[in-house]
Amino acid sequence: MSKAIEDFSREFYPFLHETNGQQSQDLMNELRFSLTEKARESIEVKQRFFAENRDEILAASLALARRFHRGRKLLVCGNGGSATDAQHVAVEFMHPITVGRKALPAICLNNDMAMVTAVANDVSFADVFVRQLIALANEGDALIAISTSGNSDNLLQAFRTARKMNLLTIGFAGDDGGKMKEIHDAALLDFCFIVPTSSIHRIQESHVALYHIIWDMVHTFLEHPAVLEEVATDERGSTRISKSVSSDLSV
């Protein structure tokens, strides 16, 4: 090992060069504490987020259930780690692991890499989801777009296109919500769920819990077709669940 490499190793991985047994034990104790703190923080972030957003989550789940009830489909997209979350969402709906729950039509717009790279190369990366929405989406479908920052331009463009096509739109974001919050505040996005932390890991962990819960709530609503028909909708087809409807559900 050259001196430069060894110096780098000692600087960034000092525990690999420790010979003192007490130092190693101290390191393990620190890591045990760190592990427990990260788990505690993750739990607290999720508990706070769901307590503050539970009514809106139910409303979004009900709106999505209504779309499936009418024979519509879900489209999902994201970038990077959020792209894998988008794939996960689509698989959950298409291939439910809970016995007795029906498969629901869902398409992840990240999956066709030939299409994504063709549009990115020939037009722009900002349009990679727009072109697919134009080709695949129909009026009354739903779009979920996932971003830890809320600032992904291709997702914002997708929401604008979805709006013109009369799709139900649901955004997942983090921190302060970024530009996704801005378009929601301007009534250009039906639902926007923001995990208020700067930690990317805590945001992603909360997003996973969120789409699992939405999946569960959607199926629960689909088991109560009378509820789907009773709920009033506004011009966008967005729903606001009443307390009486919520109390009637067995979840």
Side-chain angles (χ1 to χ4, degrees):
M1 179 184 296
S2 70
K3 186 178 186 304
I5 294 175
E6 183 172 355
D7 289 345
F8 177 88
S9 178
R10 288 184 179 279
E11 177 70 22
F12 289 95
Y13 308 106
F15 58 89
L16 295 178
H17 303 273
E18 291 175 355
T19 56
N20 186 306
Q22 183 58 48
Q23 288 179 329
S24 296
Q25 186 59 45
D26 289 344
L27 172 65
M28 293 304 295
N29 289 336
E30 290 176 9
L31 292 177
R32 289 188 186 98
F33 176 78
S34 176
L35 184 156
T36 304
E37 282 299 292
K38 290 178 189 299
R40 179 193 56 77
E41 180 187 7
S42 181
I43 292 168
E44 289 182 354
V45 168
K46 286 194 285 288
Q47 286 180 328
R48 184 169 63 252
F49 170 77
F50 286 105
E52 293 174 354
N53 292 277
R54 58 186 179 182
D55 288 341
E56 199 73 354
I57 293 168
L58 281 175
S61 301
L62 179 53
L64 184 54
R66 288 176 61 88
R67 301 300 169 118
F68 285 127
H69 183 63
R70 296 169 182 165
R72 307 306 187 197
K73 64 181 175 293
L74 170 65
L75 301 108
V76 200
C77 56
N79 296 286
S82 296
T84 61
D85 280 327
Q87 291 176 316
H88 191 163
V89 172
V91 170
E92 290 286 352
F93 281 100
M94 290 282 285
H95 179 58
I97 59 171
T98 302
V99 175
R101 290 190 162 176
K102 63 184 294 186
L104 298 169
I107 301 171
C108 176
L109 302 180
N110 295 94
N111 285 351
D112 189 343
M113 287 310 299
M115 179 66 184
V116 169
T117 54
V119 175
N121 183 67
D122 299 341
V123 187
S124 75
F125 191 66
D127 292 293
V128 295
F129 302 130
V130 167
R131 291 299 180 96
Q132 295 184 76
L133 283 174
I134 293 171
L136 298 174
N138 295 305
E139 182 176 353
D141 287 344
L143 171 67
I144 293 178
I146 306 171
S147 168
T148 55
S149 68
N151 291 318
S152 301
D153 193 34
N154 53 12
L155 302 187
L156 300 173
Q157 296 282 53
F159 280 137
R160 294 185 183 102
T161 299
R163 188 74 176 181
K164 294 175 183 177
M165 299 178 69
N166 196 29
L167 272 62
L168 172 70
T169 50
I170 302 172
F172 291 13
D175 201 0
D176 63 0
K179 294 178 180 178
M180 196 180 287
K181 181 179 184 299
E182 293 178 10
I183 64 171
H184 178 258
D185 291 345
L188 300 175
L189 174 61
D190 294 318
F191 296 95
C192 185
F193 296 107
I194 302 168
V195 181
T197 173
S198 60
S199 169
I200 302 298
H201 290 159
R202 303 296 87 82
I203 295 168
Q204 290 174 325
E205 290 157 4
S206 299
H207 283 175
V208 172
L210 175 59
Y211 59 72
H212 280 154
I213 288 172
I214 288 178
W215 175 87
D216 195 20
M217 296 297 101
V218 165
H219 279 282
T220 301
F221 279 123
L222 289 173
E223 294 168 1
H224 298 77
V227 172
L228 299 177
E229 300 297 336
E230 288 173 2
V231 177
T233 62
D234 61 23
E235 293 180 356
R236 293 285 313 152
S238 299
T239 58
R240 291 297 180 269
I241 186 169
S242 68
K243 292 182 179 179
S244 61
V245 170
S246 178
S247 64
D248 287 342
L249 296 176
S250 299
V251 295

